[in-house]
Amino acid sequence: DGDTGTNMMLTMRSTMDEANKAKSGRVSAVAQAMSRGALMGARGNSGVILSQIFRGMAKGLDDVERFNGPYLSTALQEAAIMAYRALSRPVEGTMLTVIKDVAAATRAAAAKDSATVVAVLEAGVAEARRSVARTPALLSVLREAGVVDAGGQGLYVLLEGALRFLRGETRQMQYERPR
């Protein structure tokens, strides 16, 4: 839509600026810095919800020194809880639904023996794509307009970008349009 992408990008810029200023390389310290940056730089509804996702992730990573797949899943589950709690009337078919679905998918992936960060994030990204595609079925305004939820799509793009970074696929990202 008109400003969701811009709001999410500005929120992420602030998030990453704070992450780069973290006084420690510990996972929990970086997550707290990202949460702070997201909150301070949140723009619009999508930015505020995104900041709550980062807040929940930071909560899920509290006291974590080294990152692994199960910790990522726990962080995403906390992110979903925090995002829903932040709104007095959460609406399904939005980025809230996408983060909830991602958290559920990563929970199942994290329970496997091969629960690396990449494997857990792959499950989350795959579910994010499916969840975004389902948003018009959940929200009549999207269905009538023939579009998916912009915030959900933005969240999918962020997760896919993180996955591609972990896979070393950053050069390919420069030339691709989001799916």
Side-chain angles (χ1 to χ4, degrees):
D1 68 16
D3 61 357
T4 298
T6 300
N7 289 339
M8 290 181 80
M9 186 268 307
L10 292 171
T11 302
M12 280 306 301
R13 186 174 290 157
S14 179
T15 302
M16 297 310 295
D17 286 347
E18 280 300 310
N20 289 326
K21 295 176 190 172
K23 294 183 185 340
S24 164
R26 293 185 71 217
V27 171
S28 58
V30 174
Q32 287 296 327
M34 291 176 76
S35 173
R36 188 173 42 259
L39 179 63
M40 300 310 285
R43 301 288 187 273
N45 291 336
S46 57
V48 169
I49 294 169
L50 186 58
S51 77
Q52 294 307 299
I53 289 171
F54 279 107
R55 182 176 173 213
M57 289 185 75
K59 180 181 178 194
L61 295 170
D62 196 34
D63 291 325
V64 173
E65 260 185 74
R66 299 194 62 180
F67 202 52
N68 64 25
Y71 281 133
L72 173 59
S73 178
T74 297
L76 289 166
Q77 290 168 53
E78 288 293 336
I81 291 166
M82 195 68 67
Y84 271 86
R85 283 186 187 160
L87 300 175
S88 59
R89 282 184 256 174
V91 175
E92 294 301 324
T94 65
M95 65 193 293
L96 293 171
T97 305
V98 175
I99 191 63
K100 176 184 69 177
D101 292 347
V102 165
T106 63
R107 185 179 314 117
K112 297 177 182 173
D113 288 338
S114 59
T116 64
V117 172
V118 170
V120 169
L121 192 51
E122 284 173 341
V125 168
E127 184 55 35
R129 178 186 291 162
R130 290 187 293 267
S131 183
V132 169
R134 289 189 300 267
T135 60
L138 299 171
L139 201 54
S140 61
V141 68
L142 298 174
R143 186 173 44 256
E144 291 165 13
V147 297
V148 298
D149 180 66
Q153 179 69 26
L155 184 58
Y156 163 71
V157 168
L158 290 173
L159 293 169
E160 184 183 39
L163 177 59
R164 286 180 173 244
F165 177 82
L166 291 173
R167 288 180 177 163
E169 299 172 355
T170 54
R171 282 184 68 63
Q172 295 92 321
M173 289 170 38
Q174 292 176 286
Y175 306 108
E176 272 190 29
R177 294 182 65 167
R179 293 178 243 177

